[in-house]
């Protein structure tokens, strides 16, 4: 048993020292790069020499990112709730990689609102989060799998660990649990093709939590409630 444990420790130490070489020409596609974690990661990988393709929700976000990056970093507009936007982004990535395949896909999305007691919500409230955080990321992953398989690349799904606690109603926790399940399944299936699938569970960042937006949604949801439901909770609860 001790020999097995020692061998495992040695294996991990050797593996953790491994670094990817010859970064030039290796393409990495990252979603949600306007601000926050995706933005920082795009800049960091660009400085390391990767060919970064950064997806931004706004033109302003893309322009600001390009202004402080190298010429090799490219940006593309992406709305994960829109299949047409996803198709355009996939076409852009396909043309940029020019037959060389995709070395890495980093899925990063943090749509949070609305969060509220479950019986305050309607189906469209769930869709507004799930369409971005879960279904959109699944769709773009599926469409980029051929490029990832071609270069035996990797998928890295960034998942906020607090979303796994299911401490509030709405689509946020559902989307995080769903991404965990999708990642675990995809990892086993893609092993045959040499494609790695990883989950990075991170904590909250300042850019993720915007109390003003959450409060705004709570007021909107409270005001549209049926009087019977509103009275059952009462103003003190609100």
């Amino acid at each position: 048993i001790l020999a097995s444990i020692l061998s495992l420790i040695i294996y991990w130490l050797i593996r953790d020292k491994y670094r990817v070489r010859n970064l030039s020409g290796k393409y990495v596609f990252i979603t949600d790069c306007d601000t926050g974690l995706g933005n920082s990661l795009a800049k960091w990988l660009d400085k390391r020499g990767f060919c970064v393709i950064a997806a931004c929700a706004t033109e302003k976000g893309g322009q600001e990112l390009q202004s402080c990056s190298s010429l090799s970093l490219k940006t593309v507009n992406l709305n994960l709730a829109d299949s047409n936007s996803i198709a355009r982004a996939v076409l852009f990535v396909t043309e940029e990689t020019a037959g060389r395949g995709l070395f890495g896909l980093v899925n990063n999305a943090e749509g949070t609102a609305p969060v509220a007691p479950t019986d305050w919500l309607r189906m469209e409230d769930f869709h507004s989060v799930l369409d971005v955080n879960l279904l959109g990321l699944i769709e773009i992953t599926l469409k980029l799998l051929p490029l990832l398989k071609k270069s035996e690349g990797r998928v890295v799904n960034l998942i906020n660990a607090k979303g796994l606690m299911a401490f509030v109603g709405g689509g946020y926790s559902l989307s995080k649990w769903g991404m965990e399940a999708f990642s675990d399944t995809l990892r086993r299936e893609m092993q045959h093709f040499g494609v790695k699938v990883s989950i990075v569970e991170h904590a909250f960042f300042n850019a993720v939590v915007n109390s003003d937006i959450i409060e705004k949604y709570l007021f909107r949801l409270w005001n549209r409630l049926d009087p019977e439901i509103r009275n059952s909770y009462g103003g003190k609860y609100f």
Side-chain angles (χ1 to χ4, degrees):
I1 293 173
L2 288 173
S4 298
I5 294 173
L6 182 61
S7 298
L8 186 61
I9 292 172
I10 293 172
Y11 165 75
W12 278 103
L13 289 174
I14 293 173
R15 197 182 79 157
D16 285 351
K17 288 184 178 180
Y18 175 74
R19 294 292 182 270
V20 176
R21 307 297 179 187
N22 301 320
L23 305 183
S24 178
K26 287 183 167 61
Y27 286 84
V28 179
F29 179 64
I30 310 170
T31 65
D32 195 15
C33 294
D34 295 75
T35 58
L37 186 57
N39 184 277
S40 298
L41 180 61
K43 294 174 183 176
W44 188 81
L45 291 178
D46 178 53
K47 290 179 181 178
R48 296 280 172 173
F50 285 97
C51 298
V52 177
I53 304 174
C56 298
T58 64
E59 289 188 12
K60 179 183 177 182
Q63 290 170 357
E64 290 178 350
L65 178 57
Q66 282 185 312
S67 68
C68 55
S69 305
S70 74
L71 295 176
S72 65
L73 183 143
K74 307 294 182 183
T75 61
V76 59
N77 288 346
L78 175 62
N79 177 5
L80 285 169
D82 182 358
S83 291
N84 292 327
S85 178
I86 290 174
R88 288 191 294 269
V90 170
L91 178 61
F92 182 85
V93 174
T94 303
E95 292 175 346
E96 284 293 320
T97 55
R100 281 167 286 190
L102 189 61
F103 180 78
L105 165 63
V106 181
N107 281 319
N108 168 51
E110 278 297 321
T112 57
V115 291
T118 301
D119 64 347
W120 293 18
L121 302 171
R122 300 172 183 171
M123 284 306 301
E124 58 264 29
D125 300 318
F126 286 92
H127 275 292
S128 66
V129 178
L130 291 173
D131 287 351
V132 174
N133 283 10
L134 179 61
L135 299 178
L137 289 185
I138 290 175
E139 182 175 354
I140 199 161
T141 301
L142 294 178
K143 290 184 176 179
L144 288 173
L145 280 180
L147 295 179
L148 290 161
K149 289 160 71 175
K150 188 167 188 174
S151 65
E152 295 188 353
R154 65 269 302 125
V155 179
V156 180
N157 291 326
L158 305 182
I159 300 175
N160 195 312
K162 291 194 175 183
L164 302 177
M165 297 170 66
F167 62 94
V168 67
Y172 186 75
S173 294
L174 292 176
S175 68
K176 301 308 172 185
W177 285 60
M179 279 305 295
E180 291 270 347
F182 175 72
S183 303
D184 288 342
T185 303
L186 189 66
R187 182 184 304 112
R188 291 190 292 270
E189 295 170 346
M190 289 295 107
Q191 187 176 10
H192 173 74
F193 300 99
V195 175
K196 299 177 178 65
V197 179
S198 302
I199 297 171
V200 176
E201 294 176 346
H202 62 82
F204 267 117
F205 292 92
N206 289 336
V208 174
V209 186
N210 190 324
S211 59
D212 291 338
I213 293 177
I214 293 175
E215 185 175 303
K216 177 183 176 182
Y217 270 101
L218 282 173
F219 273 105
R220 182 177 67 83
L221 294 172
W222 176 258
N223 290 329
R224 82 176 187 190
L225 283 176
D226 292 335
E228 182 179 351
I229 297 178
R230 191 186 300 123
N231 292 336
S232 70
Y233 282 90
K236 185 177 180 180
Y237 178 89
F238 179 65

